[in-house]
Amino acid sequence: MPEVTMTVNGKPASGEVEGRTLLVQFLREDLNLTGTHVGCDTSQCGACVVHVDGQAVKACTMLAAEADGAEVTTIEGMAAPDGTLDRVQEAFKEHHGLQCGFCTPGMVMSAAALLRDTPKPTEAEVREYLEGNICRCTGYHNIVKAIMAASGQEVSALAAE
Amino acid sequence: MYNFDFVKPSSIKEAVEALGTEEAQALGGGQTLIPTMKQRLAMPAKLVSLSGIAEMKGVGKNAAGELVVGGATPHATVEREAGDYPALAELARHIGDPAVRNRGTIGGSLANNDPSACYPAAVLGSGATVVTSNREIAADDFFEGMFTNALEDGEIITEVRFPIPQAANYQKFEQPASRFALVGVFVAKLKDGVRVAVTGASEEGVFRWGEAEKALSSDFSPSAVEGLSVSADGMIADLHGSAAYRAHLVGVLTKRAVAAAG
Ligand SMILES: Cc1cc2nc3c(=O)[nH]c(=O)nc-3n(C[C@H](O)[C@H](O)[C@H](O)COP(=O)(O)OP(=O)(O)OC[C@H]3O[C@@H](n4cnc5c(N)ncnc54)[C@H](O)[C@@H]3O)c2cc1C
Ligand code: FES
Ligand code: FES
């Protein structure tokens, strides 16, 4: 079986995988990083979004072998080592950007990727960027609001909670 | 998904060699192939990843002034780097979602030739050239109907060369669930005439709307296609739209594309 080595949340990680092992399986089952969720397993819902070399990807639709040598960041890598939440996580908490929380890891990872490329997105840009992230609970308004707030923009005028 | 061997060559030559064995298949971004394999609709014995081949990635311009996109270039890169051909960059920006665009590639999209995919319309509409590991294929000879094309076993798309039109635009009417094109129309005004390519509509896959091309070549304005229509015969009909609805959209979107191209 092929051996893969990658940097996950800043730490070296390696293991043996099959050709067919998905990145999300390697993260969840071999590294026990179960924060990355599997919702649809068909590349539709975005619950499995992680960053590979800084780019948001759906970990259910990427082979672990393809991430050999890459830098991977999962939701577990977002908070500081002392537990201080990342600004996106903090804003989701503050603005009730989650209910059941199933979609949240993917939402946070997508939002973080958006804010890196577009530090001050418009509301429309946030909604468009989240096209591949599905939430069955919140109705999205508070997710959008949280991301706008995380970008340092005034959100009191956005749709009510 | 059944298991398979995975190889990741770093040159086109090595990839072609690896693909020469029985039941080997190319892997682009995997955004179509991995879901297909999960459903066991494809079960290759070996996957040959094209993602480590630097010579197949990126956007540039050649001496003839064409925009050249490497066959393994992800949609997100085209979105960012195809500024010399804004209509193409804009088309790439509306494929799927950001995570899909970070992995999915132009070569994978063309090789798959989904009847509702976006790139086939740009390639046919621009009169681009599909360059493979062993030849050059004109867009007019590449697409051979739904999910079929001129590629032979083991042949890979290494780059696509787009002549840059004087004006061009792509109008995509999204199917609300998949966000693929329910119908999409790509219009390009080139120095030797106008081309109009339609995706999402026909049972035969992407096609050129000859009548509109003729009218627009003599008068590049939305009114030139007023009164023209495509037949609903052979159009796709499903729960998202009837054949007649799709045929109607072809006319509407062509006008919008011409208006937007200016
Ligand atoms: C949620 C979602 C939404 C999407 N929305 C859209 C949309 O709106 N519009 C749209 O056009 N597409 C859309 N797509 C499809 C997407 O663009 C795919 O990335 C694309 O169709 C396939 O590209 P890939 O690189 O992922 O190819 P893969 O899935 O890796 O491969 C697909 C096929 O092409 C072959 N192949 C791959 N690369 C090459 C090559 N260089 N040469 C020869 N053969 C090759 C493979 O062997 C396989 O048969 C969507 C996909 C998803 C998952
Ligand atoms: S689990 Fe990956 S997109 Fe839904
Ligand atoms: S909070 Fe439940 S799916 Fe989004």
Side-chain angles (χ1 to χ4, degrees):
Chain A
M1 285 204 291
E3 165 98 10
V4 294
T5 303
M6 52 190 96
T7 306
V8 179
N9 300 330
K11 294 193 222 78
S14 58
E16 289 195 339
V17 295
E18 290 186 313
R20 64 178 163 184
T21 306
L22 299 167
L23 178 59
V24 73
Q25 264 175 299
F26 181 68
L27 294 171
R28 288 178 56 86
E29 294 167 23
D30 293 21
L31 304 183
N32 289 321
L33 294 171
T34 54
T36 303
H37 290 167
V38 178
C40 63
D41 199 22
T42 59
S43 65
Q44 307 293 323
C45 76
C48 63
V49 170
V50 300
H51 297 179
V52 175
D53 291 331
Q55 298 198 309
V57 304
K58 291 176 171 174
C60 75
T61 310
M62 177 167 182
L63 301 175
E66 280 278 52
D68 189 30
E71 297 252 356
V72 178
T73 307
T74 70
I75 190 69
E76 288 90 346
M78 294 304 281
D82 70 356
T84 307
L85 295 181
D86 163 80
R87 62 181 174 154
V88 178
Q89 292 174 305
E90 188 59 43
F92 267 65
K93 184 176 154 208
E94 184 66 23
H95 294 278
H96 308 287
L98 62 150
Q99 286 179 24
C100 78
F102 194 86
C103 70
T104 313
M107 288 287 179
V108 169
M109 298 314 286
S110 282
L114 166 68
L115 296 185
R116 192 203 44 220
D117 296 342
T118 313
K120 297 258 183 261
T122 62
E123 185 184 342
E125 283 171 331
V126 174
R127 289 183 186 276
E128 196 185 334
Y129 199 88
L130 295 181
E131 182 160 332
N133 290 84
I134 294 173
C135 176
R136 310 254 61 175
C137 303
T138 63
Y140 302 98
H141 287 320
N142 287 352
I143 291 174
V144 175
K145 195 170 183 174
I147 296 168
M148 296 291 283
S151 73
Q153 302 186 77
E154 180 52 52
V155 294
S156 53
L158 289 184
E161 284 168 10
Chain B
M1 170 162 48
Y2 291 112
N3 201 19
F4 49 83
D5 291 333
F6 175 85
V7 292
K8 192 167 175 174
S10 55
S11 71
I12 294 171
K13 191 166 164 280
E14 286 164 19
V16 170
E17 270 166 27
L19 284 165
T21 57
E22 279 286 299
E23 310 218 2
Q25 190 169 354
L27 174 70
Q31 301 302 291
T32 297
L33 185 55
I34 292 175
T36 310
M37 289 172 61
K38 285 180 181 176
Q39 293 177 292
R40 296 182 174 172
L41 295 172
M43 40 198 111
K46 174 159 75 177
L47 275 193
V48 180
S49 167
L50 305 177
S51 70
I53 305 177
E55 58 188 315
M56 277 177 64
K57 284 178 142 178
V59 179
K61 250 179 151 180
N62 64 13
E66 293 169 312
L67 188 90
V68 180
V69 181
T73 308
H75 311 327
T77 304
V78 175
E79 172 184 353
R80 274 195 313 271
E81 296 179 11
D84 287 329
Y85 191 169
L88 187 70
E90 191 60 17
L91 173 142
R93 205 172 83 75
H94 291 284
I95 296 176
D97 57 61
V100 167
R101 294 197 288 276
N102 282 336
R103 299 287 310 158
T105 66
I106 188 168
S109 176
L110 297 176
N112 195 45
N113 194 18
D114 187 298
S116 304
C118 300
Y119 269 128
V123 169
L124 189 62
S126 310
T129 306
V130 179
V131 183
T132 75
S133 38
N134 51 10
R135 59 191 166 137
E136 295 179 7
I137 310 172
D140 286 322
D141 301 323
F142 183 80
F143 302 102
E144 298 182 337
M146 218 184 245
F147 296 113
T148 53
N149 56 47
L151 290 178
E152 279 158 20
D153 277 352
E155 186 174 11
I156 53 176
I157 298 170
T158 54
E159 66 181 38
V160 185
R161 298 182 192 146
F162 293 91
I164 299 177
Q166 295 154 1
N169 186 260
Y170 177 60
Q171 290 287 318
K172 175 184 183 185
F173 192 93
E174 285 183 358
Q175 197 259 63
S178 74
R179 306 283 173 95
F180 272 70
L182 182 72
V183 175
V185 176
F186 196 98
V187 171
K189 184 171 183 247
L190 294 134
K191 63 176 185 308
D192 45 5
V194 174
R195 292 173 71 107
V196 178
V198 180
T199 188
S202 169
E203 301 271 9
E204 299 295 314
V206 67
F207 71 94
R208 285 172 68 185
W209 185 15
E211 212 186 346
E213 291 184 350
K214 214 152 135 210
L216 289 166
S217 293
S218 51
D219 172 19
F220 194 69
S221 72
S223 59
V225 279
E226 206 78 60
L228 299 185
S229 60
V230 292
S231 161
D233 287 348
M235 292 283 151
I236 298 169
D238 58 21
L239 82 162
H240 304 288
S242 64
Y245 183 63
R246 280 187 165 82
H248 177 69
L249 276 183
V250 174
V252 172
L253 296 178
T254 303
K255 265 185 264 175
R256 285 186 193 168
V258 173

